[in-house]
Structures are given as C-alpha cells and as structure tokens.
C-alpha cells in the first residue's frame, strides 16, 4: 500500500487497479487494507473509523482520499458535494481525438440492474447531463492520451464520454 499523506484527519493513498475501493469483508478491497494498516500502526484493538468520501472504479488506479474521523468526513463530503474538489484523470483512448481540447456534453442513463451507464436522449426519463472537459496530452498512431476533468460527477461518465 502506497500512503502519500497521513495525518489525524486524512489518509491519502495510491489505489492500484484492479483493487476495489470498497467491498464486502470477504473480498479484498482498499478500505479494509487501510483499516488494518491503521489498526496495526496505532495499536487499535477495537473498530477503526474510516470515511470514504469518493471512489475509484476497480479498473482505475490513482489517488484516493479517506477520512479518519467524522468531522473530517463531514467537511470532505461537503467539498465534494459543493464541487470544490478538482478531479483530474488521464486516459488512453483508441483513435485520434479532435479537436485537441474541448468539452463533451452528453446525456447518460444507468442501465437497470447493471453497473453501467449508456448515452441517452435529453428527454429520456432518468437521463442526466454529463459534462467533461478534455485535453489531448499526446497523440500516438492509433490512440490519444487525454487529460479529463469531469464537471459533473455521474456514474461511469468517463467510460461513456471518452
């Protein structure tokens, strides 16, 4: 486990793919690993509080922030809710992306009984607008490396929009 920052309020780690952020106790997951790390490091025989203000999908690696107390959890939750945090992703996508920067605006909808979303029509019941700013960082023969900054926090929007 790669801890990037740790204090009394937060623990920030680099989540590897394909590890889940959260899962039932019998499934390996980052939350359980961090709780065990805290329990061992600080010799806590009882339960360990760990807030999970955001997630990264199983297939995604990257920095994830956990909170170590309820006050920090409330503050972090509010920052995400008020869109005070800036999330930046890098993605390697097939093909050449033109123009080299811009904003994609799409309507997406969750597929019933499945953990995925698809593009939808604006007037479709349950459709939500997804806004994603992008910039091409590097072009390859058959792929593009993009920097993505979602302006909305829709489930799996990066997969559908990029």
């Amino acid at each position: 486990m790669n801890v990037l920052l740790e204090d009394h309020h937060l623990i920030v780690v680099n989540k590897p793919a394909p590890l889940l952020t959260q899962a039932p106790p019998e499934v390996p997951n980052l939350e359980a690993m961090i709780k065990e790390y805290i329990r061992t490091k600080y010799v806590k025989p009882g339960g360990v509080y760990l807030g999970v203000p955001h997630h990264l999908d199983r297939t995604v690696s990257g920095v994830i922030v956990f909170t170590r107390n309820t006050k920090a959890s409330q503050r972090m939750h509010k920052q995400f809710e008020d869109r005070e945090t800036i999330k930046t992703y890098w993605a390697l996508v097939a093909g050449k992306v033109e123009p080299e920067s811009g904003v994609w605006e799409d309507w997406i909808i969750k597929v019933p009984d499945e953990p995925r979303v698809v593009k939808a029509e604006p007037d479709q019941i349950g459709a939500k607008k997804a806004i994603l700013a992008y910039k091409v960082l590097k072009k390859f023969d058959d792929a593009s490396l993009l920097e993505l900054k979602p302006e909305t926090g829709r489930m799996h929007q990066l997969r559908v929009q990029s």
Side-chain angles (χ1 to χ4, degrees), residues 52-114:
V52 188
H54 69 112
H55 296 79
L56 290 176
D57 290 346
R58 177 188 294 241
T59 58
V60 176
S61 64
V63 176
I64 188 162
V65 178
F66 293 90
T67 56
R68 296 194 47 207
N69 57 62
T70 56
K71 191 168 196 168
S73 190
Q74 291 167 349
R75 289 177 177 169
M76 185 64 66
H77 178 75
K78 181 155 177 37
Q79 288 177 0
F80 276 97
E81 188 177 79
D82 294 345
R83 303 262 184 250
E84 293 175 14
T85 57
I86 298 171
K87 297 179 183 180
T88 302
Y89 298 86
W90 291 343
L92 185 63
V93 299
K96 295 198 186 260
V97 176
E98 295 289 341
E100 295 211 4
S101 65
V103 176
W104 290 320
E105 293 187 16
D106 297 290
W107 290 84
I108 61 176
I109 190 167
K110 184 180 178 316
V111 176
D113 302 321
E114 293 185 36

Side-chain angles (χ1 to χ4, degrees), residues 1-12:
M1 188 171 62
N2 185 4
V3 177
L4 304 173
L5 177 131
E6 180 180 354
D7 63 20
H8 295 297
H9 309 286
L10 305 173
I11 184 163
V12 181

